[in-house]
Amino acid sequence: MSLLREDPLLLEAFRRGEPGALTRVYRAYSGHVARFLSRTYVSRGPGGLARVGPLDLEAAHQETFVRAFREQARLTYDGVRPYSIWLNALARQAAVDVLRAAGRIAREAVALDDTPTAERLASNAPSPEDRALEAETRELVHRFLAGLDEATRRLADLRFVQGLSQERAGLVLGLSRQELRTRETKLRRAMTDFLLNEGWLTADSPDALPSAAATAAVLALLFPLFVP
Amino acid sequence: MALFTQHVDRQLVHLANEGVLPPRQWSRVLRHARGCARCGARYERVMNLRRMFASDTVTVPTPGELASLESRGLASVLATVEREPSTESSGQAARADRLHKDLGEPWSLARRLWARVLQAWNSPSLGHVGGAWVVSLMAAAGLLWLSLPSDTTEWGARGEGQGATVMRLFCVPAEAELREVRGQGDCPAGAALAFAAGARAPYTHVVVTVRTDKGLKVEGPFEVKASPGAEAALDLTPRLPDTGEVELTAVFASSASDALAAARGEPVRDVVRVQHRVRIAGKP
C-alpha cells in the first residue's frame, strides 16, 4: 500500500496540511506504525535490545505521527518513496526518544539506526528477553486453559484467542446469546481468579473505586448545602 | 476501603478480561501506568497476556490495541501539529533535530528534561471520577483560589505593558521532581532550568538571556502564542553551572527582531523586560 504515491491530489492536500488528508494518512498507516513499533528493536544498551512495549506504544505511536505531520516533514517527503518506509525511520527515532524519556533505556543506549546495517538486520529476531517473556506468558495461558472444562475452554478459544463476537461464538457453540453471556461471565471470573492467584492482579481491585454512597457522604461532609 | 485508590487495578482487571477499555478510561490508565512502576509492570503483563491470546506472541499488538490507537490518537496528533508554529518554527524544529544529531547526548538530555516538564504540566484527567466529584473538586479549587494571595511580584514586569506578559521559571534537578522557582530561588548544581511564557498583544516574541560567570548567552527569539494564565513551555532548558549565580532576563516584544535587538541592549520601544536570579545551591 502506498496511499500518497497513488493519489497525487491527496499528496498535495497532505503537503498543505489539510486535516482531511492528514486523517486519511493517519488511518491508513496507524496499524502499520503500531506493528512496526511493537516488533522492532530500536536500541541496544547495557540491558540488551529494546523495543516499545504495550505501555509505551501509544506515546511512541503519537510521537511518530506528530513528527510525520509537521510542516517540514510533510514537505520533505518526496512522494516517490513508499511512505511506510519513511514512517519507519521516524518511528525508530520517536521510539528511542520515548523510551529514553520514560527511563526504559539508558541514556548511553545506542539507537540501532546508528549501528551497522548487518547488525540491525540481525536484531529482527526475538531477543533473549522477549523469548523468555513469551515462554512465561505462553505457559501462563496454557495453565489457565488447562484448568477449564472442555466447553469453557472452547468458549475461551473462540472469544479470547480467535476474537469472535459473542454472537458468532454463540452460533459456533449452539448457544443463545443469554446462555453465552452467562458462561462468559463465569469464564471472566475464572480468569480474574486465576490472575489473582498468580499474583498478576490485586485482590481488592474490583472494589477499589468509591461507592455512590461513599461519594455522597463525602460531598455532604465537604459541602453541607450542596445538593448534587 | 480507601475512598480513592491511586492505582488502576480495577481497570487492569477489565483489560485482562476484555482486552479493551473505553477510550477515556484507557487514556487515563496509560497516563497513570506510565508514571507508576507498580501499575506499569501490571499493565505490560496484562497486555502481553492478551497479545499472547490473540497472536501467540508479545510483539504484535492486539486488534483492540490497534483499533484504540486509530481512534484515540488522531485527535491528539492533529491538535499537537496544529498547535505547533509553522514555517519559522519548522525551521527551528529542523535546527533542533540537527542539533540533536550533532550534539548527541547533551541535547537528548535536554529533550528528556523537557519531557518531564511537559509531563508535570499536564493536569490529571478527572474522567474516571463521577460528575459530582468533579463539581465538588472544582468548587473546592475555587475556594482555595479565592483564599490564596495573588503572586504578582514574581517575574513581575519591569517595563511597559505590565500584566501583559508572564514568564515562569522551573528548576529540573537530575534525580528529583521538577519545581517552580519563586523569588530569589535556589537550584542545585547540574540541574537544568525550564521556562513557560504567556503574553497578550502586542507582545508576540520573547528572548531569554542567561548570564553566568562564563558570559552571556542569548536564547531565542521564541514565538509566544499562549496567554498569561495558560503559559506554554519554551523549548529551552539551559544547564546550570557548578557554582555561583545565574541571571536570567526575558525580553518580550511585538516582533522577533525587536525582542532580539532589545535583548542585545539596543534601544527598542515597547518592550517588557523581566529579570530573575537563581543561586546554585541545595542538594542535587
Side-chain angles (χ1 to χ4, degrees):
Chain A
M1 177 186 64
S2 191
L3 192 66
L4 290 171
R5 277 200 304 179
E6 292 162 6
D7 188 341
L9 290 177
L10 177 65
L11 177 61
E12 285 308 308
F14 172 75
R15 284 180 170 155
R16 287 193 299 271
E18 290 178 13
L22 299 184
T23 300
R24 274 189 69 189
V25 172
Y26 180 91
R27 294 215 166 113
Y29 291 99
S30 171
H32 166 83
V33 168
R35 282 186 283 268
F36 177 82
L37 286 167
S38 298
R39 70 166 185 264
T40 306
Y41 296 99
V42 293
S43 88
R44 179 189 296 281
L49 292 168
R51 64 173 175 80
V52 173
L55 190 58
D56 298 310
L57 179 58
E58 185 183 84
H61 183 267
Q62 285 195 12
E63 183 62 22
T64 301
F65 279 102
V66 165
R67 293 178 186 200
F69 287 177
R70 279 183 183 143
E71 185 181 25
Q72 199 198 14
R74 294 195 315 266
L75 295 176
T76 308
Y77 173 60
D78 56 15
V80 177
R81 284 173 286 176
Y83 192 63
S84 54
I85 305 293
W86 173 263
L87 277 174
N88 290 353
L90 293 174
R92 275 180 192 279
Q93 196 54 54
V96 171
D97 289 344
V98 165
L99 293 174
R100 274 192 182 135
R104 316 248 189 265
I105 57 174
R107 278 184 285 151
E108 304 78 39
V110 180
L112 282 179
D113 260 358
D114 300 334
T115 60
T117 308
E119 196 176 341
R120 222 182 308 154
L121 291 173
S123 71
N124 284 338
S127 70
E129 294 83 2
D130 273 343
R131 280 201 293 270
L133 176 64
E134 286 196 344
E136 183 197 355
T137 315
R138 192 174 290 120
E139 164 66 17
L140 189 87
V141 168
H142 286 167
R143 265 188 287 136
F144 169 64
L145 293 176
L148 303 175
D149 61 60
E150 183 56 37
T152 314
R153 194 180 310 136
R154 180 87 176 110
L155 174 61
D157 177 57
L158 293 175
R159 293 283 289 137
F160 287 165
V161 180
Q162 297 186 37
L164 295 191
S165 67
Q166 281 189 338
E167 196 175 8
R168 291 280 311 280
L171 280 175
V172 172
L173 295 172
L175 299 173
S176 69
R177 187 88 185 261
Q178 187 53 48
E179 285 173 324
L180 188 121
R181 278 183 180 164
T182 305
R183 290 195 189 188
E184 189 166 318
T185 302
K186 287 181 184 168
L187 171 63
R188 286 184 188 154
R189 198 170 295 141
M191 173 93 149
T192 305
D193 290 344
F194 177 77
L195 293 177
L196 290 174
N197 290 335
E198 294 285 331
W200 277 38
L201 296 172
T202 308
D204 63 352
S205 48
D207 301 319
L209 282 177
S211 65
T215 306
V218 171
L219 275 176
L221 189 67
L222 289 173
F223 304 102
L225 301 178
F226 177 73
V227 179
Chain B
M1 181 193 76
L3 278 174
F4 278 117
T5 173
Q6 62 186 51
H7 299 297
V8 290
D9 298 325
R10 179 174 164 162
Q11 288 81 0
L12 289 178
V13 170
H14 192 90
L15 258 180
N17 279 314
E18 305 286 340
V20 292
L21 282 172
R24 286 179 61 189
Q25 255 190 45
W26 207 336
S27 295
R28 187 183 86 79
V29 167
L30 273 172
R31 224 176 10 248
H32 171 85
R34 294 193 76 224
C36 167
R38 168 190 181 277
C39 295
R42 288 176 188 197
Y43 181 89
E44 288 263 314
R45 297 179 89 177
V46 163
M47 289 315 298
N48 282 333
L49 180 74
R50 293 298 310 199
R51 287 180 174 192
M52 191 58 72
F53 269 127
S55 52
D56 198 35
T57 173
V58 295
T59 58
V60 174
T62 64
E65 282 181 278
L66 293 175
S68 167
L69 285 173
E70 190 179 324
S71 65
R72 275 188 301 132
L74 176 61
S76 172
V77 168
L78 292 181
T80 306
V81 172
E82 194 178 339
R83 272 201 307 272
E84 289 185 352
S86 60
T87 322
E88 183 187 2
S89 296
S90 294
Q92 286 175 355
R95 286 197 294 279
D97 282 341
R98 279 200 298 277
L99 269 174
H100 178 48
K101 289 204 167 188
D102 293 345
L103 299 179
E105 197 45 43
W107 189 248
S108 300
L109 180 60
R111 291 166 74 103
R112 192 170 62 89
L113 290 171
W114 196 235
R116 289 175 58 194
V117 175
L118 294 176
Q119 204 171 15
W121 220 267
N122 292 329
S123 55
S125 162
L126 293 172
H128 61 293
V129 186
W133 275 106
V134 175
V135 172
S136 59
L137 288 172
M138 285 169 68
L143 289 174
L144 284 173
W145 179 73
L146 286 173
S147 64
L148 287 173
S150 62
D151 192 3
T152 53
T153 55
E154 182 185 336
W155 279 95
R158 298 176 191 181
E160 293 177 57
Q162 188 157 4
T165 60
V166 171
M167 177 66 88
R168 300 173 70 190
L169 176 65
F170 296 83
C171 171
V172 193
E175 302 298 339
E177 289 300 305
L178 169 147
R179 61 180 166 81
E180 187 161 3
V181 179
R182 295 171 183 278
Q184 297 293 309
D186 294 343
C187 196
L193 295 174
F195 303 81
R200 283 194 201 95
Y203 303 103
T204 57
H205 288 77
V206 65
V207 168
V208 178
T209 63
V210 184
R211 185 186 293 280
T212 64
D213 295 341
K214 293 179 180 172
L216 180 73
K217 200 169 179 185
V218 179
E219 304 278 6
F222 302 97
E223 189 177 8
V224 182
K225 286 192 168 179
S227 305
E231 298 83 23
L234 296 186
D235 194 2
L236 170 65
T237 51
R239 183 163 290 287
L240 291 176
D242 291 339
T243 55
E245 197 173 69
V246 177
E247 184 183 296
L248 301 150
T249 304
V251 181
F252 290 86
S254 55
S255 72
S257 54
D258 278 359
L260 199 54
R264 287 174 177 152
E266 297 169 22
V268 180
R269 295 185 60 180
D270 294 333
V271 297
V272 175
R273 192 182 300 269
V274 290
Q275 290 179 316
H276 204 78
R277 284 176 194 277
V278 177
R279 278 195 310 274
I280 317 298
K283 291 179 181 175

